[in-house]
mmCIF file of all heavy atoms in Angstrom:
data_model
loop_
_atom_site.group_PDB
_atom_site.id
_atom_site.type_symbol
_atom_site.label_atom_id
_atom_site.label_comp_id
_atom_site.label_asym_id
_atom_site.label_seq_id
_atom_site.Cartn_x
_atom_site.Cartn_y
_atom_site.Cartn_z
ATOM 1 N N LEU J 51 279.918 0.248 91.913
ATOM 2 C CA LEU J 51 278.970 0.340 93.028
ATOM 3 C C LEU J 51 279.415 1.395 94.035
ATOM 4 O O LEU J 51 278.613 2.212 94.490
ATOM 5 C CB LEU J 51 278.839 -1.013 93.727
ATOM 6 C CG LEU J 51 278.070 -2.096 92.978
ATOM 7 C CD1 LEU J 51 278.336 -3.455 93.599
ATOM 8 C CD2 LEU J 51 276.584 -1.786 92.955
ATOM 9 N N ARG J 52 280.694 1.385 94.378
ATOM 10 C CA ARG J 52 281.227 2.353 95.359
ATOM 11 C C ARG J 52 280.989 3.785 94.885
ATOM 12 O O ARG J 52 280.570 4.639 95.665
ATOM 13 C CB ARG J 52 282.719 2.088 95.578
ATOM 14 C CG ARG J 52 283.306 2.829 96.739
ATOM 15 C CD ARG J 52 284.769 2.481 96.964
ATOM 16 N NE ARG J 52 284.939 1.097 97.365
ATOM 17 C CZ ARG J 52 285.505 0.147 96.612
ATOM 18 N NH1 ARG J 52 286.000 0.429 95.424
ATOM 19 N NH2 ARG J 52 285.606 -1.087 97.047
ATOM 20 N N ASP J 53 281.215 4.028 93.593
ATOM 21 C CA ASP J 53 280.980 5.371 93.040
ATOM 22 C C ASP J 53 279.516 5.770 93.165
ATOM 23 O O ASP J 53 279.203 6.905 93.541
ATOM 24 C CB ASP J 53 281.411 5.436 91.573
ATOM 25 C CG ASP J 53 282.912 5.388 91.391
ATOM 26 O OD1 ASP J 53 283.660 5.594 92.383
ATOM 27 O OD2 ASP J 53 283.348 5.121 90.251
ATOM 28 N N GLU J 54 278.616 4.839 92.856
ATOM 29 C CA GLU J 54 277.182 5.141 92.953
ATOM 30 C C GLU J 54 276.776 5.382 94.402
ATOM 31 O O GLU J 54 276.016 6.304 94.699
ATOM 32 C CB GLU J 54 276.359 4.002 92.347
ATOM 33 C CG GLU J 54 274.868 4.256 92.341
ATOM 34 C CD GLU J 54 274.428 5.390 91.430
ATOM 35 O OE1 GLU J 54 275.144 5.709 90.451
ATOM 36 O OE2 GLU J 54 273.351 5.967 91.680
ATOM 37 N N TRP J 55 277.298 4.560 95.314
ATOM 38 C CA TRP J 55 276.964 4.728 96.733
ATOM 39 C C TRP J 55 277.472 6.081 97.243
ATOM 40 O O TRP J 55 276.781 6.767 97.971
ATOM 41 C CB TRP J 55 277.568 3.577 97.549
ATOM 42 C CG TRP J 55 276.617 2.458 97.871
ATOM 43 C CD1 TRP J 55 276.325 1.999 99.118
ATOM 44 C CD2 TRP J 55 275.844 1.656 96.968
ATOM 45 N NE1 TRP J 55 275.430 0.959 99.040
ATOM 46 C CE2 TRP J 55 275.116 0.732 97.733
ATOM 47 C CE3 TRP J 55 275.692 1.629 95.582
ATOM 48 C CZ2 TRP J 55 274.252 -0.193 97.156
ATOM 49 C CZ3 TRP J 55 274.837 0.697 95.009
ATOM 50 C CH2 TRP J 55 274.133 -0.187 95.793
ATOM 51 N N ARG J 56 278.678 6.458 96.848
ATOM 52 C CA ARG J 56 279.225 7.754 97.268
ATOM 53 C C ARG J 56 278.387 8.897 96.707
ATOM 54 O O ARG J 56 278.128 9.874 97.409
ATOM 55 C CB ARG J 56 280.674 7.893 96.802
ATOM 56 C CG ARG J 56 281.644 7.162 97.656
ATOM 57 C CD ARG J 56 283.078 7.476 97.268
ATOM 58 N NE ARG J 56 283.987 6.743 98.109
ATOM 59 C CZ ARG J 56 284.928 5.935 97.679
ATOM 60 N NH1 ARG J 56 285.132 5.760 96.385
ATOM 61 N NH2 ARG J 56 285.708 5.291 98.522
ATOM 62 N N THR J 57 278.001 8.798 95.446
ATOM 63 C CA THR J 57 277.190 9.834 94.810
ATOM 64 C C THR J 57 275.889 10.051 95.574
ATOM 65 O O THR J 57 275.444 11.178 95.734
ATOM 66 C CB THR J 57 276.872 9.448 93.339
ATOM 67 O OG1 THR J 57 278.102 9.349 92.630
ATOM 68 C CG2 THR J 57 275.977 10.468 92.666
ATOM 69 N N ARG J 58 275.318 8.968 96.065
ATOM 70 C CA ARG J 58 274.042 9.052 96.781
ATOM 71 C C ARG J 58 274.219 9.269 98.282
ATOM 72 O O ARG J 58 273.239 9.389 99.008
ATOM 73 C CB ARG J 58 273.228 7.783 96.554
ATOM 74 C CG ARG J 58 272.758 7.629 95.132
ATOM 75 C CD ARG J 58 271.958 6.368 94.993
ATOM 76 N NE ARG J 58 271.531 6.144 93.626
ATOM 77 C CZ ARG J 58 270.299 5.819 93.288
ATOM 78 N NH1 ARG J 58 269.364 5.700 94.212
ATOM 79 N NH2 ARG J 58 269.989 5.599 92.035
ATOM 80 N N GLY J 59 275.457 9.268 98.749
ATOM 81 C CA GLY J 59 275.705 9.452 100.178
ATOM 82 C C GLY J 59 275.305 8.251 101.018
ATOM 83 O O GLY J 59 274.990 8.388 102.192
ATOM 84 N N LEU J 60 275.360 7.071 100.411
ATOM 85 C CA LEU J 60 274.957 5.849 101.125
ATOM 86 C C LEU J 60 276.152 5.249 101.875
ATOM 87 O O LEU J 60 277.286 5.316 101.398
ATOM 88 C CB LEU J 60 274.438 4.807 100.121
ATOM 89 C CG LEU J 60 273.150 5.170 99.414
ATOM 90 C CD1 LEU J 60 272.917 4.223 98.238
ATOM 91 C CD2 LEU J 60 271.985 5.118 100.380
ATOM 92 N N PRO J 61 275.887 4.636 103.020
ATOM 93 C CA PRO J 61 276.976 3.970 103.751
ATOM 94 C C PRO J 61 277.327 2.651 103.067
ATOM 95 O O PRO J 61 276.470 2.021 102.449
ATOM 96 C CB PRO J 61 276.367 3.729 105.124
ATOM 97 C CG PRO J 61 274.910 3.593 104.868
ATOM 98 C CD PRO J 61 274.612 4.529 103.728
ATOM 99 N N PHE J 62 278.576 2.263 103.177
ATOM 100 C CA PHE J 62 278.972 0.949 102.673
ATOM 101 C C PHE J 62 280.158 0.446 103.467
ATOM 102 O O PHE J 62 280.902 1.221 104.052
ATOM 103 C CB PHE J 62 279.283 0.961 101.172
ATOM 104 C CG PHE J 62 280.364 1.910 100.762
ATOM 105 C CD1 PHE J 62 281.703 1.522 100.752
ATOM 106 C CD2 PHE J 62 280.053 3.219 100.368
ATOM 107 C CE1 PHE J 62 282.694 2.399 100.354
ATOM 108 C CE2 PHE J 62 281.036 4.090 99.967
ATOM 109 C CZ PHE J 62 282.367 3.697 99.965
ATOM 110 N N ASN J 63 280.290 -0.869 103.478
ATOM 111 C CA ASN J 63 281.391 -1.515 104.171
ATOM 112 C C ASN J 63 282.493 -1.729 103.160
ATOM 113 O O ASN J 63 282.417 -2.625 102.330
ATOM 114 C CB ASN J 63 280.908 -2.846 104.767
ATOM 115 C CG ASN J 63 281.999 -3.535 105.534
ATOM 116 O OD1 ASN J 63 283.159 -3.136 105.491
ATOM 117 N ND2 ASN J 63 281.644 -4.584 106.245
ATOM 118 N N ASN J 64 283.520 -0.931 103.230
ATOM 119 C CA ASN J 64 284.605 -0.951 102.243
ATOM 120 C C ASN J 64 285.560 -2.121 102.458
ATOM 121 O O ASN J 64 286.361 -2.422 101.603
ATOM 122 C CB ASN J 64 285.377 0.357 102.302
ATOM 123 C CG ASN J 64 286.041 0.679 100.995
ATOM 124 O OD1 ASN J 64 285.572 0.297 99.924
ATOM 125 N ND2 ASN J 64 287.137 1.389 101.062
ATOM 126 N N ASN J 65 285.487 -2.797 103.592
ATOM 127 C CA ASN J 65 286.412 -3.884 103.897
ATOM 128 C C ASN J 65 285.714 -5.222 104.046
ATOM 129 O O ASN J 65 286.262 -6.146 104.632
ATOM 130 C CB ASN J 65 287.179 -3.573 105.187
ATOM 131 C CG ASN J 65 287.995 -2.310 105.025
ATOM 132 O OD1 ASN J 65 288.695 -2.145 104.049
ATOM 133 N ND2 ASN J 65 287.858 -1.408 105.985
ATOM 134 N N ALA J 66 284.515 -5.341 103.539
ATOM 135 C CA ALA J 66 283.739 -6.566 103.711
ATOM 136 C C ALA J 66 284.349 -7.719 102.932
ATOM 137 O O ALA J 66 284.888 -7.538 101.855
ATOM 138 C CB ALA J 66 282.308 -6.349 103.273
ATOM 139 N N GLU J 67 284.261 -8.874 103.516
ATOM 140 C CA GLU J 67 284.681 -10.109 102.850
ATOM 141 C C GLU J 67 283.426 -10.897 102.525
ATOM 142 O O GLU J 67 282.452 -10.854 103.237
ATOM 143 C CB GLU J 67 285.566 -10.938 103.789
ATOM 144 C CG GLU J 67 286.871 -10.265 104.150
ATOM 145 C CD GLU J 67 287.837 -10.150 102.974
ATOM 146 O OE1 GLU J 67 287.846 -11.066 102.136
ATOM 147 O OE2 GLU J 67 288.556 -9.155 102.929
ATOM 148 N N ILE J 68 283.495 -11.646 101.418
ATOM 149 C CA ILE J 68 282.343 -12.482 101.072
ATOM 150 C C ILE J 68 282.534 -13.878 101.590
ATOM 151 O O ILE J 68 283.587 -14.271 101.987
ATOM 152 C CB ILE J 68 282.085 -12.511 99.565
ATOM 153 C CG1 ILE J 68 283.317 -12.988 98.827
ATOM 154 C CG2 ILE J 68 281.641 -11.159 99.081
ATOM 155 C CD1 ILE J 68 283.090 -13.311 97.400
#
Side-chain angles (χ1 to χ4, degrees):
L51 287 165
R52 191 177 294 111
D53 289 345
E54 183 67 25
W55 262 236
R56 281 188 180 125
T57 298
R58 292 181 183 227
L60 293 167
F62 58 89
N63 182 350
N64 206 29
N65 299 312
E67 296 291 326
I68 57 168

